[in-house]
Amino acid sequence: MELGVYSFGDVQQENGKLGPTSQAIPNLLEAIKLADEVGLDFFGVGEHHTDYFPASSPATILSAAAAMTKNITLSSAVSVLSTDDPVRIYQQFATANIISGGRVEIVAGRGSSTESFPLFGYDLKNYDELYAEKLDLLMKINALEKNEPLTWEGQFRAPIQEAMIVPQPEHPIKIWLATGGNPESSIRAGALGLPIAYAVIGGQVSRFAPMVDLYRKAAEHYEQTGDHMQVAIASPGYIAEDAQDAKDTFWQAWESTMTTLGKVRGFAAPTRSHYDAESGRDGALFAGSPEEIAERIIELHKRIKHTRHYFQMDVGQLPHDKFLQSIELLGTKVAPRVRKALASGN
Amino acid sequence: MATNSKLIIGIIGAGRLGTAIARQSLKAGHRVNISNSRGPQSLELMLGVLLPGAVAMTVNDVAQKSDIIILAMPLNKYSALDPEWLAGKIVIDAMNYWPPTEGRIPEFMNEQVTSSQYLQQHFDRARIVKTLNHVAYNEIEEHSLPPAHPQRRAIALAGDDDAAKKQAEQFIDTIGFDTIDLGDLQEGSKFQPDTKLFNARLTKAEIEQIVR
Ligand SMILES: NC(=O)c1ccc[n+]([C@@H]2O[C@H](COP(=O)([O-])OP(=O)(O)OC[C@H]3O[C@@H](n4cnc5c(N)ncnc54)[C@H](OP(=O)(O)O)[C@@H]3O)[C@@H](O)[C@H]2O)c1
């Protein structure tokens, strides 16, 4: 089981207001460096384009992180593939991959936040068609042999004639399909032979178990086998020594971020009782003590056999020092417990 | 139709919302017909794993062979449906005009006309009931409770056809929710995105307080 963290780059509070977006980037790099030092397996940076989530360019951050870290796997979480150029995404991630010595991956999603569509001039009417086509192109580029030129034609970008797409890392980049729970996405990942990352950000985690079954069934049906057919879970989470402290601290961050998102997306702000339910046993929010979080990961693993679980901790202006403490606890207290339990088959 | 009678529920759209409603309907003992944009064959794998017992059909067949039809597809694809298919049918519009998720749609930008009113004009002979649109898909399963439970969540309805609304209310009761009839389709404006009812877990009494 690989454990890790993901972030959209949380802008800190300054005098009761949102501080500068620039500060989020060095904060993020500091967090990634720490995650590597405490032995975590994964750090993902998710593309967003807002004044509260400013990590609009994951590959750039990952390139810097690649040069600062030794072992940790670095990835987008997610890249909004639908509104980007797959050639460009490939080039940027391939470059970061080479800098890191092969540690950089791509988690590609359709985009649950849609601000990149108007920003880059795409029509949400083509939400799924854009993704399908761009994923096809990205996979084709990634599968090219050494020095093999690419010829490709599609609906949403200019055709490509005998073009070299460089640089090529030594091995293909690991590409994951990200989904928020649309069943068709599980089938698509299975059919295409891609590992799958589920974003579980609300409700009960167990509702994803049938989705994972569907993914594996689709993989079997389309004869996509191999060790790379893995399942990852991305969920909000926060760890503190004391369980109640963890829940209270993360509630403030969660309430703040969901209220902001609610205003943008037109849904009601969360209530504490709702939060308490969702940060309980089967909930999507993994806020708690190291023991509790380890137990919940192990419990979930029994059902869905995921190989990677990563947590979004820094939302809603969570103080940066608390973010770092939570990363440290994940690496030093949660991870050893989970590894031990899974190694002994519990 | 009596409260306990089993219905044939026809769902158009087999994504998050459509499959959640389908699962709850099967649990309640109803029969379920379901469709997507790519034809029944494309649904086989999914139904086998997620919805054993549901029947995959074309959209037209779902409309012809069901007692209640539920629109659970992106609103921005509404024009793919032939108004003829829905003529005379009880149709639950569970969709939203929700620019942050599906973008702007010019014909839905008039704030004086709710999205369901626009659809009622477009599907002029359908008996449209706006409901189920303001509940997150996972909560259709997770918040379902038996009748008379003190915390039972309520789901709002609006529609111009009283008999259609009655039948929709009976159906929603069977899948685990109270209902609250807020009036004709215009009143759908009270539980669209950007309202207090949208995506909020509320009982019938709590909704009454908010809308009063
Ligand atoms: N998700 C929620 O929590 C929720 C809650 C309440 C209301 N809603 C509303 O429900 C609607 C659907 O949302 P969703 O989240 O379920 O979307 P979704 O997961 O993207 O699923 C959409 C479904 O609609 C199908 N579809 C698309 N075009 C169609 C057509 N022309 N004929 C028949 N089926 C078609 C798609 O099939 P293909 O795969 O074949 O294209 C897919 O199965 C939206 O209007 C949304 O506002 C959603």
Side-chain angles (χ1 to χ4, degrees):
Chain A
M1 168 75 71
E2 297 179 330
L3 294 177
V5 181
Y6 73 109
S7 168
F8 304 159
D10 190 33
V11 172
Q12 293 287 290
Q13 213 171 64
E14 216 172 80
N15 309 322
K17 286 206 209 104
L18 273 186
T21 50
S22 60
Q23 186 56 41
I25 307 305
N27 283 359
L28 199 42
L29 289 172
E30 189 184 3
I32 299 173
K33 192 158 181 290
L34 175 66
D36 187 42
E37 283 164 7
V38 299
L40 287 172
D41 306 290
F42 177 85
F43 204 109
V45 177
E47 174 188 341
H48 280 260
H49 305 266
T50 65
D51 55 354
Y52 44 96
F53 289 148
S56 58
S57 178
T60 315
I61 295 168
L62 297 177
S63 291
M68 295 164 62
T69 52
K70 294 198 174 70
N71 301 311
I72 196 165
T73 297
L74 301 166
S75 177
S76 51
V78 310
S79 294
V80 185
L81 182 59
S82 316
T83 56
D84 209 334
D85 180 349
V87 176
R88 213 61 187 126
I89 291 223
Y90 178 84
Q91 292 172 333
Q92 290 161 351
F93 280 80
T95 304
N97 183 289
I98 294 163
I99 295 172
S100 73
R103 290 183 283 124
V104 168
E105 304 181 351
I106 300 173
V107 179
R110 292 192 293 187
S112 70
S113 292
T114 53
E115 69 267 356
S116 65
F117 284 78
L119 185 60
F120 297 122
Y122 289 96
D123 189 344
L124 274 160
K125 251 195 171 151
N126 303 321
Y127 184 67
D128 193 59
E129 295 82 349
L130 279 165
Y131 184 72
E133 175 171 314
K134 288 174 185 246
L135 186 58
D136 171 69
L137 175 53
L138 183 64
M139 288 177 69
K140 289 227 164 71
I141 298 171
N142 200 36
L144 291 172
E145 298 293 332
K146 291 275 166 289
N147 302 322
E148 180 189 353
L150 174 74
T151 297
W152 181 90
E153 207 177 310
Q155 194 188 338
F156 295 107
R157 60 147 291 157
I160 299 169
Q161 277 296 334
E162 293 280 315
M164 292 304 297
I165 312 293
V166 291
Q168 275 182 311
E170 201 175 328
H171 302 288
I173 303 174
K174 189 163 179 180
I175 299 171
W176 298 68
L177 183 145
T179 169
N182 171 293
E184 201 51 52
S185 297
S186 289
I187 297 179
R188 174 180 275 155
L192 293 175
L194 295 176
I196 191 163
Y198 292 94
V200 188
I201 57 172
Q204 295 169 354
V205 184
S206 57
R207 80 169 189 278
F208 282 81
M211 290 299 151
V212 173
D213 293 343
L214 182 58
Y215 167 67
R216 297 210 166 103
K217 195 67 175 210
E220 189 189 308
H221 181 86
Y222 291 98
E223 296 175 9
Q224 298 286 2
T225 51
D227 287 347
H228 70 288
M229 294 300 283
Q230 295 168 359
V231 173
I233 297 287
S235 61
Y238 175 77
I239 300 144
E241 289 285 3
D242 178 67
Q244 196 56 46
D245 176 28
K247 289 193 169 51
D248 291 345
T249 302
F250 199 58
W251 159 243
Q252 290 197 345
W254 187 247
E255 184 192 23
S256 166
T257 198
M258 292 314 275
T259 303
T260 306
L261 285 178
K263 277 190 199 127
V264 177
R265 301 199 197 166
F267 57 72
T271 61
R272 178 72 199 236
S273 66
H274 195 97
Y275 168 85
D276 284 337
E278 299 212 330
S279 53
R281 265 192 91 74
D282 188 33
L285 311 179
F286 284 70
S289 66
E291 298 74 24
E292 191 182 345
I293 299 308
E295 215 166 282
R296 288 183 56 197
I297 297 167
I298 296 161
E299 206 48 47
L300 183 63
H301 178 267
K302 280 187 192 147
R303 177 62 181 88
I304 65 169
K305 301 280 179 259
H306 56 318
T307 55
R308 182 182 283 177
H309 198 141
Y310 43 105
F311 301 95
Q312 186 180 25
M313 304 171 169
D314 60 333
V315 295
Q317 301 97 52
L318 179 82
H320 185 56
D321 59 326
K322 299 210 184 245
F323 180 32
L324 298 179
Q325 282 160 21
S326 176
I327 291 174
E328 185 162 356
L329 288 172
L330 183 64
T332 58
K333 299 242 166 121
V334 177
R337 275 193 163 73
V338 172
R339 287 189 195 117
K340 196 167 154 211
L342 297 188
S344 68
N346 282 318
Chain B
M1 205 161 293
T3 315
N4 287 329
S5 68
K6 301 302 178 209
L7 298 163
I8 305 175
I9 303 300
I11 301 176
I12 300 180
R16 282 160 293 203
L17 183 68
T19 56
I21 296 175
R23 203 147 38 239
Q24 280 301 102
S25 302
L26 289 170
K27 256 188 243 166
H30 303 300
R31 281 165 55 193
V32 169
N33 301 329
I34 190 161
S35 59
N36 65 3
S37 72
R38 289 163 296 134
Q41 245 216 307
S42 69
L43 283 167
E44 256 172 45
L45 246 173
M46 186 196 299
L47 298 195
V49 179
L50 299 183
L51 293 169
V55 183
M57 296 183 181
T58 62
V59 177
N60 188 9
D61 276 349
V62 163
Q64 299 324 309
K65 295 179 178 167
S66 312
D67 299 323
I68 296 181
I69 296 154
I70 301 179
L71 302 181
M73 55 188 259
L75 180 64
N76 63 21
K77 306 269 163 134
Y78 79 97
S79 58
L81 305 182
D82 184 341
E84 209 46 54
W85 299 343
L86 304 179
K89 305 287 177 184
I90 297 176
V91 176
I92 288 182
D93 171 21
M95 303 183 292
N96 290 295
Y97 176 54
W98 198 3
T101 64
E102 290 181 17
R104 294 211 181 91
I105 316 173
E107 59 269 39
F108 288 90
M109 283 172 69
N110 177 357
E111 290 188 9
Q112 308 308 312
V113 180
T114 66
S115 60
S116 299
Q117 281 179 301
Y118 183 87
L119 290 180
Q120 180 68 79
Q121 286 162 20
H122 180 80
F123 302 119
D124 58 337
R125 281 175 296 143
R127 304 163 66 191
I128 292 195
V129 180
K130 181 184 191 69
T131 188
L132 289 169
N133 65 299
H134 62 100
V135 188
Y137 78 98
N138 55 300
E139 297 177 351
I140 301 240
E141 299 183 83
E142 293 166 10
H143 291 178
S144 161
L145 285 169
H149 189 289
Q151 259 125 45
R152 200 178 202 218
R153 184 168 173 176
I155 295 182
L157 291 92
D160 297 341
D161 182 320
D162 286 333
K165 269 197 290 196
K166 263 273 142 343
Q167 176 128 183
E169 290 197 82
Q170 286 167 359
F171 163 64
I172 291 169
D173 181 55
T174 66
I175 63 168
F177 296 88
D178 286 343
T179 50
I180 176 164
D181 181 355
L182 295 184
D184 59 24
L185 274 185
Q186 174 73 47
E187 304 301 322
S189 62
K190 295 193 171 126
F191 50 99
Q192 300 192 135
D194 257 326
T195 63
K196 287 196 173 131
L197 301 195
F198 195 72
N199 208 18
R201 181 180 196 164
L202 300 165
T203 62
K204 188 167 179 170
E206 286 165 339
I207 293 183
E208 268 161 1
Q209 280 215 326
I210 290 173
V211 299
R212 215 185 285 134

